[in-house]
Amino acid sequence: MGSLGALVKHPGDFYPLLKLKMASRHAERQIPSEPHWAFCFSMLHKVSRSFALVIQQLDTELKNAVCIFYLVLRALDTVEDDTSVATDIKVPILEEFYRHIYDRDWHFSCGTKNYKVLMDEFHHVSTAFLELEKGYQEAIEDITKRMGAGMAKFICKEVETVGDYDEYCHYVAGLVGLGLSKLFHACGTEDLAPDTLSNSMGLFLQKTNIIRDYLEDINEIPKSRMFWPRQIWGKYVNKLEDLKYEENSVKAVQCLNDMVTNALIHVDDCLKYMSALRDPAIFRFCAIPQVMAIGTLALCYNNIEVFRGVVKMRRGLTAKVIDRTNTMADVYGAFYDFSCMLKAKVDKNDPCAQKTSSRLDSILKTCRDSGVLNERKSYIIPNQTNYTPLLAVLLFILLAITLANRGPNEPN
């Protein structure tokens, strides 16, 4: 549920973490009994616990469609990501994947761990897909076809320009935004959002992941995966992998800040998209990942640790985001707080400082103009009141339970 050290440092995380743990256990008990649906929802919990938790709030029909949509695209992504699969084998699979989802007998062994299980047992996903309403099937097929073609294109093409970068992110994530908008519209609860806004919802999440995952992607075996555009990193180093070397730390951070600044251009579109949603469950489903993304960018900005290891939000803060993201006022408040945090880290000597500040000022103005900032609960401004003795007692009890459950041979 989070380390005791982190809870002592951030005692306000305790209650949100406890709620998240209880919600997660409840979600795991909601897995259907039919074998193919049981596989799909169990696999969802294994490949994305946070997504599996948020999806549970949707009504059954939409929840099933979104679950299958996610697993189909996760399988497609597994094929793309497996650098051990030869290009002449991979490309045809990507291009034809939209046909395979109709075939209960199709599978292709690739990936590792849970992703390999997903690919080996893909017939469960196909069986569930074939039980969806026709409108959902058509939306999933359309996006899968377009995404597979785009992935195949970039297997044989480097990300050279910012235009290439936007195009790649459109294929692997912007289309997810378009597909979800179609599913929301198909279930009758939402108007069909403009493609530009749906696309930005996906691009903002994807660019955040690409920034955060630099080291993992560049160290991929047997072949590096490189998604940062040469048009950006070429201003700072000769090779993309040079950013991870200590002697290039200054240039690496400048390049990182350039990448974060590029991602911020999508925020206004994301806020417009979310403000138009009517269904509370769909709103939370869309809003929580967006808040997580702006929080992650705030942590990554100007942070050399992106090139040394993993930079991510602590579990307690993640639990707070999930607990507190319920209305558009919460979203404006979160984006305002994390943008303030990011702006405080801008170095005036950074080559992109002026552009970064300008984009942050635009976000902050949008949040202020909403008129609801006074309704927010801050994520980053410390609570000045003393924490109650009850919380200290709870932490002590948690510590005692943890120690009591240790085996006699376990080290302290």
Side-chain angles (χ1 to χ4, degrees), residues 210-222:
I210 286 174
I211 291 166
R212 181 198 63 198
D213 295 341
Y214 165 84
L215 193 63
E216 178 185 339
D217 289 338
I218 208 71
N219 288 337
E220 179 75 19
I221 295 174

Side-chain angles (χ1 to χ4, degrees), residues 185-232:
H185 182 61
C187 76
T189 56
E190 302 289 348
D191 295 329
L192 185 60
D195 285 357
T196 52
L197 301 188
S198 300
N199 188 58
S200 285
M201 289 283 283
L203 262 64
F204 187 57
L205 298 182
Q206 183 65 21
K207 288 185 177 183
T208 299
N209 290 341
I210 286 174
I211 291 166
R212 181 198 63 198
D213 295 341
Y214 165 84
L215 193 63
E216 178 185 339
D217 289 338
I218 208 71
N219 288 337
E220 179 75 19
I221 295 174
K223 182 183 178 183
S224 295
R225 292 184 292 166
M226 295 184 282
F227 305 117
W228 291 30
R230 183 187 296 270
Q231 187 178 343
I232 291 180

Side-chain angles (χ1 to χ4, degrees), residues 23-24 27-28 41-57 63 70 285:
S24 180
E28 289 171 2
F41 279 96
S42 296
M43 185 55 59
L44 189 65
H45 282 277
K46 291 173 182 175
V47 298
S48 179
R49 232 177 237 185
S50 58
F51 187 84
L53 182 63
V54 177
I55 201 180
Q56 292 295 331
Q57 302 170 75
K63 176 173 66 176
Y70 182 89
F285 173 81

Side-chain angles (χ1 to χ4, degrees), residues 55-278:
I55 201 180
Q56 292 295 331
Q57 302 170 75
L58 303 174
D59 69 70
T60 302
E61 183 181 292
L62 182 58
K63 176 173 66 176
N64 289 347
V66 173
C67 174
I68 299 308
F69 184 47
Y70 182 89
L71 291 178
V72 166
L73 299 188
R74 176 56 66 188
L76 185 65
D77 188 59
T78 300
V79 176
E80 185 212 22
D81 283 350
D82 193 333
T83 54
S84 67
V85 179
T87 299
D88 60 335
I89 296 174
K90 181 183 293 189
V91 169
I93 293 175
L94 293 173
E95 292 175 336
E96 296 295 315
F97 205 90
Y98 73 99
R99 299 183 191 274
H100 298 318
I101 59 179
Y102 287 94
D103 183 357
R104 286 188 174 93
D105 297 324
W106 185 86
H107 69 276
F108 178 72
S109 187
C110 65
T112 59
K113 300 178 181 177
N114 289 321
Y115 302 103
K116 185 178 188 306
V117 176
L118 172 62
M119 298 304 299
D120 289 341
E121 304 287 327
F122 193 76
H123 64 277
H124 290 302
V125 181
S126 296
T127 301
F129 168 78
L130 292 170
E131 292 182 2
L132 297 176
E133 292 291 333
K134 190 70 173 176
Y136 294 131
Q137 289 182 4
E138 289 173 350
I140 293 171
E141 178 191 348
D142 174 58
I143 297 302
T144 305
K145 180 178 181 179
R146 292 161 67 183
M147 185 180 292
M151 286 178 168
K153 177 179 180 178
F154 277 91
I155 292 296
C156 309
K157 175 182 170 66
E158 295 290 333
V159 180
E160 295 284 345
T161 67
V162 172
D164 292 339
Y165 183 45
D166 286 343
E167 184 183 8
Y168 172 76
C169 290
H170 164 73
Y171 286 133
V172 300
L175 286 173
V176 180
L178 270 66
L180 287 172
S181 293
K182 287 185 176 184
L183 296 181
F184 300 154
H185 182 61
C187 76
T189 56
E190 302 289 348
D191 295 329
L192 185 60
D195 285 357
T196 52
L197 301 188
S198 300
N199 188 58
S200 285
M201 289 283 283
L203 262 64
F204 187 57
L205 298 182
Q206 183 65 21
K207 288 185 177 183
T208 299
N209 290 341
I210 286 174
I211 291 166
R212 181 198 63 198
D213 295 341
Y214 165 84
L215 193 63
E216 178 185 339
D217 289 338
I218 208 71
N219 288 337
E220 179 75 19
I221 295 174
K223 182 183 178 183
S224 295
R225 292 184 292 166
M226 295 184 282
F227 305 117
W228 291 30
R230 183 187 296 270
Q231 187 178 343
I232 291 180
W233 63 256
K235 294 185 284 185
Y236 305 96
V237 288
N238 293 323
K239 298 178 183 177
L240 183 56
E241 58 264 34
D242 290 346
L243 294 172
K244 69 180 181 178
Y245 300 126
E246 193 168 345
E247 61 267 26
N248 297 321
S249 294
V250 173
K251 292 292 185 182
V253 169
Q254 290 175 347
C255 183
L256 168 65
N257 294 345
D258 205 338
M259 290 288 291
V260 172
T261 302
N262 172 272
L264 292 174
I265 201 169
H266 303 291
V267 170
D268 281 338
D269 276 355
C270 293
L271 293 174
K272 287 177 185 175
Y273 182 100
M274 290 183 282
S275 66
L277 295 172
R278 295 191 297 260

